[in-house]
Amino acid sequence: MPELPAKFIEKMKLLLGEEEFNLFCESYGQEAAQGIRVNPLKISRDSLVSRVPFSLRPVPWCRLGFYYSPDDRPGKHPYHAAGLYYIQEPSAMAVVEILQPQPGERILDLCAAPGGKSTHIYSYLGHTGLLVANEINANRVKALAENLERWGARNILVTNETPEKLAERMPAYFDKILVDAPCSGEGMFRKLPEACLDWSEGKSQRCAAMQKNLLAQAASMLKPGGVLVYSTCTFSPEENEEQVNSFLQAHNDFEICPVENDWLAPGTLAGTVRIWPHKVQGEGHFVARLRKKGDAGAGRILRAEQKLWSGRKSGVDKINDVSPEVQKLFATFCRETLNIVPEGPYLMFGDQLYAVSDRLPELSRLKISRAGWHLGTVKKGRFEPSHALALGLHAGQWKRTVNLRADNEDVYRYLKGESLMIQGGEQGWAIVTVDGFPLGWGKLVNGQLKNHYPKGLRWG
Ligand SMILES: C[S@@+](CC[C@H](N)C(=O)[O-])C[C@H]1O[C@@H](n2cnc3c(N)ncnc32)[C@H](O)[C@@H]1O
């Protein structure tokens, strides 16, 4: 049980009243709930449930989510490395269910690392539309990109930008925006007791000022008729209902779009929701859904988009800017190794080849971590396929497979970076799979599988 800060206890007593506060306190004696969320782009819910050795129970507010038991170790199963599920705190799964992403939409996840909500959004976009996943912290953006790649995401733009810079470049650009804001983190004290040490009375106020700015920037990037979801993992009203209230006062072109959900408790601001650890199996969260008034098809917006898409100097033009030599190398690789040719347009970033979404905004002078589906690296006249390419492929799309079983030690040897002896005389790039699901690349040379599982991802 975490040692809760005295001032936090005082604050919660006032917020909840004596009787409910006692129930709230009792919840700290129970274990934090743990969850995984299925990747529907790779496997169905039922198929995953029947294959994994975990005891799974559905999360009521997320059709892709399951609780697992404290004895399960989903992070150590090869299916995790294959991107068949994401380990996520169950309450956090409510946020994207409330956003309701639809295929074909352009969606911004403004505070995205490490990618829990981004992978969830992408599950509903499929390989359509565009997900812009932004993270201001350069270290955290790396984990975000890796998690999206493991998910098999292709129609993505991963940026490492300030909200101001994005807002300047993409006015009224998105159908939906998620602001999963940095916050005082009170809702995570049970799961991460060390968060208590980082808490102070003034923290909520400091966070509230930052959140106010994030919301204002997000508002300007949303199309009329678009939806903005704001979420935190804190109990503090200054960062939740009061934050939304003052946003609505400053932005009279927004209104609350009420969340209807039988499982989640109403916030003190009508139409918003709270997730309480003493009411459901999950940690503390707040979610508000806001709608920008107006019609997304208005002429004003069409003109704004045209402006972005005209003068495509370094954005879309660059996409075609792949030299004939690289095109030839890639075509040869596809012919020898794949049964498909990943659809362009293509873009080179230095020596990295990408298949990008044809809906990308102008990219120049933005700090980009990933600009679509990373296909591989061109080095010294050779094309080397990327991990993201392997993880984004579906069954039947490659020629050579080395299939390993989840219950066989070879799969762990592969994930540790070891070479494997292989029967059969095939040579060349092969997709290494676990029970048919891609894990990464290997190269078959004279009965040996040379390991190309990325060094930074290898299991210790
Ligand atoms: C609550 S976490 C996001 C969790 C993430 N949405 C997920 O589901 O995995 C908030 C993130 O916002 C980032 N952040 C902090 N200040 C920011 C800012 N001004 N603009 C954008 N992101 C910011 C933090 O680095 C942190 O990664």
Side-chain angles (χ1 to χ4, degrees):
M1 184 156 167
E3 198 170 322
L4 300 172
K7 290 282 181 194
F8 169 72
I9 291 179
E10 254 174 52
K11 206 173 137 185
M12 291 308 294
K13 257 188 202 162
L14 273 178
L15 186 66
L16 292 170
E18 193 78 30
E19 202 178 319
E20 197 174 346
F21 174 74
N22 289 337
L23 295 172
F24 174 76
C25 275
E26 277 171 27
S27 74
Y28 283 87
Q30 292 149 16
E31 286 224 40
Q34 325 230 43
I36 60 168
R37 187 169 34 72
V38 179
N39 184 347
L41 305 175
K42 295 194 183 220
I43 191 168
S44 71
R45 274 171 55 106
D46 292 350
S47 180
L48 185 83
V49 172
S50 68
R51 286 162 179 266
V52 290
F54 318 139
S55 39
L56 299 179
R57 284 174 301 114
V59 172
W61 48 85
C62 175
R63 59 195 133 134
L64 300 170
F66 291 95
Y67 296 102
Y68 64 87
S69 83
D71 299 333
D72 296 328
R73 292 284 171 272
K76 302 240 184 280
H77 195 284
Y79 287 176
H80 183 250
L84 301 195
Y85 51 81
Y86 190 95
I87 299 172
Q88 189 176 36
E89 194 287 303
S91 296
M93 297 177 192
V95 175
V96 172
E97 294 297 317
I98 290 168
L99 184 71
Q100 295 177 345
Q102 302 297 319
E105 287 180 335
R106 259 187 218 157
I107 302 187
L108 170 64
D109 185 358
L110 186 56
C111 310
K117 317 286 184 319
S118 279
T119 52
H120 197 171
I121 292 170
Y122 199 85
S123 298
Y124 291 131
L125 284 181
H127 301 299
T128 70
L130 177 69
L131 169 66
V132 178
N134 180 63
E135 168 58 45
I136 199 164
N137 180 313
N139 291 326
R140 288 172 64 85
V141 83
K142 195 167 170 275
L144 170 64
E146 282 172 5
N147 283 330
L148 279 164
E149 288 186 341
R150 197 175 66 244
W151 209 243
R154 306 173 190 168
N155 287 10
I156 51 169
L157 177 64
V158 182
T159 55
N160 174 212
E161 272 303 347
T162 61
E164 287 76 5
K165 183 77 168 284
L166 291 183
E168 184 193 307
R169 298 291 292 278
M170 301 182 209
Y173 187 69
F174 294 98
D175 301 300
K176 287 184 178 149
I177 297 181
L178 172 61
V179 178
D180 186 34
C183 68
S184 56
E186 296 168 353
M188 290 297 134
F189 287 172
R190 184 169 67 169
K191 189 179 171 217
L192 305 167
E194 62 275 18
C196 295
L197 303 174
D198 198 31
W199 187 89
S200 67
E201 259 190 299
K203 193 168 180 191
S204 276
Q205 277 163 359
R206 290 194 297 277
C207 289
M210 192 193 315
Q211 292 152 356
K212 183 178 175 193
N213 177 49
L214 286 167
L215 278 170
Q217 303 301 336
S220 73
M221 286 187 267
L222 194 67
K223 290 179 185 174
V227 168
L228 168 59
V229 164
Y230 172 72
S231 57
T232 72
C233 60
T234 199
F235 300 116
S236 159
E238 302 96 292
E239 300 175 65
N240 295 331
E241 287 91 346
E242 289 171 24
Q243 181 70 261
V244 172
N245 227 346
S246 64
F247 172 81
L248 289 172
Q249 276 165 20
H251 298 82
N252 61 10
D253 52 341
F254 276 79
E255 62 195 358
I256 289 191
C257 180
V259 178
E260 281 148 24
N261 188 304
D262 295 341
W263 285 95
L264 312 176
T268 53
L269 182 64
T272 63
V273 288
R274 288 274 193 157
I275 307 181
W276 293 102
H278 59 291
K279 293 191 172 165
V280 293
Q281 260 196 296
E283 307 313 296
H285 262 74
F286 168 84
V287 191
R289 183 169 58 200
L290 309 166
R291 191 179 157 276
K292 196 174 195 176
K293 296 173 194 167
D295 174 4
R300 185 166 69 87
I301 293 312
L302 288 179
R303 277 197 298 280
E305 285 192 2
Q306 270 162 17
K307 202 166 152 235
L308 256 178
W309 282 88
S310 61
R312 295 171 169 186
K313 281 274 175 314
S314 51
V316 175
D317 275 358
K318 219 181 181 182
I319 289 166
N320 298 318
D321 193 14
V322 175
S323 70
E325 296 81 58
V326 171
Q327 285 178 33
K328 206 168 142 204
L329 275 178
F330 184 57
T332 307
F333 169 83
C334 291
R335 207 170 42 247
E336 290 174 354
T337 314
L338 304 179
N339 297 322
I340 57 155
V341 177
E343 251 179 65
Y346 305 115
L347 168 70
M348 285 297 282
F349 261 113
D351 55 4
Q352 311 293 319
L353 181 67
Y354 281 86
V356 301
S357 163
D358 57 4
R359 306 184 69 189
L360 279 185
E362 166 80 35
L363 300 180
S364 59
R365 296 184 307 282
L366 281 181
K367 281 194 244 161
I368 310 276
S369 167
R370 300 287 188 281
W373 193 9
H374 182 211
L375 300 173
T377 310
V378 179
K379 257 193 224 150
K380 296 184 192 148
R382 286 207 315 264
F383 178 79
E384 180 136 339
S386 73
H387 188 60
L389 175 58
L391 275 276
L393 291 172
H394 294 284
Q397 295 186 326
W398 60 87
K399 290 199 186 341
R400 284 173 293 279
T401 308
V402 174
N403 188 41
L404 306 173
R405 283 186 11 215
D407 58 3
N408 188 291
E409 67 165 312
D410 276 353
V411 75
Y412 295 94
R413 291 179 56 208
Y414 173 73
L415 290 168
K416 285 178 184 164
E418 294 177 27
S419 297
L420 302 175
M421 298 311 288
I422 298 292
Q423 291 185 343
E426 286 188 306
Q427 307 281 327
W429 287 107
I431 292 280
V432 181
T433 57
V434 55
D435 297 337
F437 300 100
L439 276 176
W441 291 103
K443 207 165 191 186
L444 292 165
V445 186
N446 302 330
Q448 213 193 26
L449 179 81
K450 298 219 158 152
N451 198 311
H452 282 261
Y453 195 66
K455 290 203 167 66
L457 300 179
R458 288 182 183 174
W459 290 20

